[in-house]
Amino acid sequence: MKLVRHLANLGYGSRKQVAWMFREGRVTDADGEVLYADDAVAHDDVRIDGEPLDPPPGMLAMLHKPVGCTCSNKDGGRLVHDLLPPRFRLRKPVLSTVGRLDRDTSGLLLLTDDGSLLHRIISPKAKLPKVYEAVLAEDLRGDEAALFASGTLLLESETVPLLPADLQVLESRRIRLTLHEGRYHQVRRMFAAVGNHVLALHRSRVGGLALDGLPEGQWRLLEPADRERLFSVADSVR
Ligand code: URA
């Protein structure tokens, strides 16, 4: 692909704006040799103002989503994309969240521009475990773990029961819940179904990936080893 198009697709500007960057000599190779709009040079060998390019298409990133920002434009308010470099919003293909977390949920959120990777992660076949910690408004009744594990719980307005989920009680109103699917507001609706209410919700793991100390509001690119870890637990669970 010609460089001018590649850089425009990475969000460095419109084709016209990127063409100007070439005319100004801001686009070079790793040795500082000026490159031209029609050149076809490997991504890793290109520099803009001496800096390496943003990740090429096929990127996968992890964000520690804080409470208060949303995954969708429709929800209004601050978007998770506002926590990423502004250029990322202009990328083609688009950088999408892998599933969603509610505005009031914090924790591990994946983003990718690779549609087939996204589907592989969210596919019911992958059954990637997602681990949530929640603070509840009421003490547990005592039968929740058995009910959630039964594979028979039917949420309001749904026709297919939930897959078995694993509930660990940490304290009388603090739990860890492992899901192998991702339905709309699933954790909150599961506790509503047993007469409780989720006061705070945090996702700590997706597949074999954890936040591992990534501070709230921060993101990082995932490397091939992280991708392997992401899928590494899929076979070992139910
Ligand atoms: N379940 C919920 O209720 N909310 C989330 O954000 C994720 C899972």
Side-chain angles (χ1 to χ4, degrees):
M1 185 188 297
K2 288 180 180 172
L3 267 182
V4 65
R5 182 154 160 227
H6 183 53
L7 299 190
N9 286 350
L10 290 176
Y12 283 92
S14 64
R15 291 274 271 268
K16 213 166 159 185
Q17 288 165 329
V18 171
W20 265 109
M21 294 168 78
F22 283 96
R23 278 186 219 125
E24 290 168 343
R26 294 171 59 194
V27 187
T28 64
D29 67 13
D31 299 323
E33 286 290 317
V34 169
L35 295 172
Y36 296 92
D38 287 350
D39 286 343
V41 176
H43 178 96
D44 289 348
D45 296 334
V46 181
R47 303 285 180 273
I48 295 184
D49 300 329
E51 295 295 323
L53 297 182
D54 289 344
M59 69 175 277
L60 177 65
M62 170 201 283
L63 171 73
H64 185 162
K65 178 194 169 303
V67 164
C69 48
T70 70
C71 293
S72 160
N73 268 321
K74 287 185 208 134
D75 297 337
R78 196 167 176 229
L79 272 175
V80 290
H81 282 82
D82 294 340
L83 299 168
L84 305 171
R87 255 199 312 271
F88 282 12
R89 281 231 209 178
L90 307 171
R91 286 174 68 103
K92 287 190 217 124
V94 168
L95 187 62
S96 308
T97 65
V98 179
R100 288 186 184 168
L101 289 178
D102 305 337
R103 184 201 299 268
D104 294 332
T105 304
S106 60
L108 198 168
L109 182 69
L110 297 172
L111 297 112
T112 185
D113 60 1
D114 179 338
S116 54
L117 177 62
L118 187 148
H119 284 112
R120 194 173 155 215
I121 299 170
I122 63 173
S123 156
K125 275 193 212 137
K127 291 203 172 80
L128 281 190
K130 293 167 213 77
V131 181
Y132 295 88
E133 276 93 39
V135 177
L136 305 172
E138 311 290 338
D139 287 350
L140 291 160
R141 305 188 306 210
D143 64 340
E144 293 89 343
L147 179 62
F148 292 173
S150 68
T152 60
L153 179 60
L154 199 55
L155 292 179
E156 204 179 304
S157 74
E158 295 206 3
T159 51
V160 179
L162 295 178
L163 291 175
D166 180 57
L167 179 71
Q168 237 181 301
V169 180
L170 305 176
E171 285 170 21
S172 58
R173 295 188 183 181
R174 219 164 60 78
I175 59 93
R176 176 171 297 133
L177 182 64
T178 304
L179 305 182
H180 301 95
E181 59 188 333
R183 303 204 200 173
Y184 181 68
H185 290 179
Q186 184 168 340
V187 177
R188 294 174 200 279
R189 290 165 72 213
M190 285 172 78
F191 282 100
V194 293
N196 213 320
H197 178 70
V198 171
L199 293 178
L201 184 59
H202 175 83
R203 181 157 74 186
S204 55
R205 296 190 83 88
V206 175
L209 281 180
L211 285 165
D212 283 333
L214 182 70
E216 200 172 66
Q218 302 289 306
W219 69 280
R220 76 170 178 91
L221 261 190
L222 297 183
E223 307 296 339
D226 296 310
R227 293 183 188 217
E228 260 177 50
R229 271 203 294 150
L230 170 62
F231 290 106
S232 63
V233 290
D235 296 334
S236 64
V237 291
R238 269 184 262 283

